[in-house]
Amino acid sequence: FPTSTAVLDALWDVAHETKRLDALDAHLSRLVDDALDSKTAVALLRQRGRLLEGPLSRHADAAEVYGKLLQLDPSNDEAPRKL
């Protein structure tokens, strides 16, 4: 699963350039569902929340994603600020 920041950033750039941000969101959602461990899921949820909150302007969906992030990583300092 692509979890390194460089790979996720490259996916973000390609999706933005090709105007396929919704496709990136769907892909990240599937990757979260298929994540083998919580560390991977947390990294993917962080990226998905950023996408939903930012360019897609789907704030309710972003809040749901940040809620899941907080469940997986209760010590995460970013998620509570985004809810």
Side-chain angles (χ1 to χ4, degrees):
F1 294 110
T3 58
S4 79
T5 302
V7 172
L8 290 172
D9 287 345
L11 284 173
W12 179 289
D13 291 342
V14 169
H16 199 285
E17 290 170 13
T18 60
K19 301 187 184 333
R20 302 216 38 207
L21 294 172
D22 285 321
L24 177 59
D25 175 47
H27 183 65
L28 289 173
S29 179
R30 284 190 302 276
L31 289 175
V32 168
D33 290 343
D34 294 340
L36 297 175
D37 58 58
S38 62
K39 182 179 178 184
T40 301
V42 164
L44 294 166
L45 286 166
R46 188 175 295 122
Q47 287 292 325
R48 186 165 182 234
R50 180 177 150 218
L51 175 65
L52 290 166
E53 178 184 21
L56 291 179
S57 295
R58 291 173 34 202
H59 301 287
D61 292 335
E64 183 179 328
V65 166
Y66 287 123
K68 289 179 183 177
L69 174 59
L70 195 54
Q71 287 176 348
L72 287 176
D73 183 11
S75 64
N76 186 287
D77 61 348
E78 176 185 6
R81 290 180 297 182
K82 303 288 185 170
L83 291 174

